Amino acid sequence: KGNFVIAIDGFSSCGKSTVAKALAKQLNFVFVDSGAMYRAVTLYFQRHQISLTDDAAIAQAIQDIHIDLVPQADKIQVLLNGEDISDAIRTMEVSEYVSEVSAIKAVRKAMVKQQQALGAKRNIVMDGRDIGTTVFPHADLKIFMTASPQVRAERRFAELTAKGEQLTMEEVKDNLAHRDHIDSTREESPLRQAEDAIVLDNSELNQEEQLAFVVDLVKSRM
Ligand code: C5P
């Protein structure tokens, strides 16, 4: 098929996008943060007060939402109908609602379609929850990342407080547990480790070690 697809899945705040980003840079692959797409949809739903039980409003919203991921030097800019929402989607407000929105079948169907189109012809690294199971079941390499709950919460807390958000460690832990629960128990493509995924537990690994681990795997399969 020509192109090489790397799928990275796992629970919230396991460091998936950090590894994915570094990997894409090193290999000169396109990096796609699928979570950013669900966050963009969530922001739109919040702004337009779309009820999660109003199927018609949801269908219309999906039609009206256009998401672009624009690669920049050290990050991906996320555009929602042309507006830069890269920072707006990282707030706790969005995090508290994103799993509810992501559980909606019509939302997933639309996002998966876009994600598959993005990876159709290019070398790509995509991170998310269902990339190896649903979006690219035939990915060339599937990684399932894990980290201890404590490590994950600490990372998330540091990230959010650095941006000036006022919140407690307890709130961060609750949000991670809440999202993990919904993400892994929803009916439509729940978070699961694909059978052929390789587990990367990064609780004890630094970024260089994680990157080296995955790069070796890619090389062995290219
Ligand atoms: O990756 P991130 O933590 O930004 O994802 C935010 C949320 O988006 C997840 O908690 C999950 O509810 C949803 N998501 C998903 N499927 C993906 C990626 C993210 O349902 N492939």
Side-chain angles (χ1 to χ4, degrees):
K1 73 181 166 68
N3 63 324
F4 197 97
V5 175
I6 305 172
I8 303 184
D9 291 303
F11 291 103
S12 298
S13 287
C14 280
K16 299 183 295 293
S17 66
T18 306
V19 170
K21 224 180 285 174
L23 191 60
K25 195 172 178 188
Q26 169 130 354
L27 300 171
N28 201 20
F29 279 26
V30 175
F31 163 55
V32 177
D33 175 354
S34 70
M37 299 171 73
Y38 289 98
R39 287 174 178 272
V41 173
T42 302
L43 184 68
Y44 185 96
F45 275 39
Q46 287 177 324
R47 285 178 172 177
H48 294 264
Q49 299 182 348
I50 309 284
S51 157
L52 300 190
T53 51
D54 187 342
D55 292 345
I58 290 170
Q60 185 60 51
I62 289 169
Q63 291 288 318
D64 295 341
I65 291 173
H66 185 85
I67 301 166
D68 284 305
L69 302 177
V70 187
Q72 298 193 320
D74 56 346
K75 64 166 206 162
I76 290 197
Q77 189 181 46
V78 187
L79 302 181
L80 171 59
N81 297 332
E83 177 192 347
D84 182 359
I85 52 154
S86 312
D87 294 327
I89 56 171
R90 301 292 164 196
T91 63
M92 201 61 175
E93 204 181 335
V94 169
S95 295
E96 269 167 2
Y97 200 48
V98 65
S99 289
E100 278 80 354
V101 174
S102 303
I104 298 170
K105 208 169 183 167
V107 169
R108 301 208 70 79
K109 206 173 152 201
M111 292 304 110
V112 168
K113 197 173 158 196
Q114 275 191 39
Q115 290 154 8
Q116 288 172 334
L118 286 169
K121 291 196 182 73
R122 296 187 289 181
N123 291 334
I124 194 169
V125 186
M126 193 178 293
D127 81 315
R129 305 293 186 287
D130 62 339
I131 311 306
T133 53
T134 304
V135 181
F136 297 117
H138 303 295
D140 300 278
L141 176 62
K142 299 178 187 179
I143 303 287
F144 192 82
M145 285 189 58
T146 62
S148 73
Q150 186 63 26
V151 166
R152 295 164 53 203
E154 278 165 11
R155 269 191 207 136
R156 196 64 170 197
F157 182 74
E159 221 174 271
L160 288 166
T161 48
K163 283 188 206 153
E165 277 217 44
Q166 303 280 338
L167 78 188
T168 65
M169 187 70 164
E170 214 47 42
E171 287 171 310
V172 173
K173 275 189 176 158
D174 286 349
N175 177 252
L176 292 183
H178 173 73
R179 284 199 282 146
D180 288 348
H181 176 72
I182 298 183
D183 293 347
S184 48
T185 57
R186 70 183 173 221
E187 196 179 319
E188 191 76 5
S189 56
L191 167 62
R192 289 263 183 287
Q193 181 185 331
E195 259 177 47
D196 50 349
I198 291 172
V199 175
L200 169 56
D201 182 338
N202 74 8
S203 309
E204 311 276 320
L205 297 178
N206 67 30
Q207 283 177 26
E208 290 76 51
E209 291 167 329
Q210 295 169 49
L211 183 62
F213 177 85
V214 185
V215 167
D216 281 349
L217 284 169
V218 174
K219 285 186 179 150
S220 72
R221 292 179 186 211
M222 266 187 143

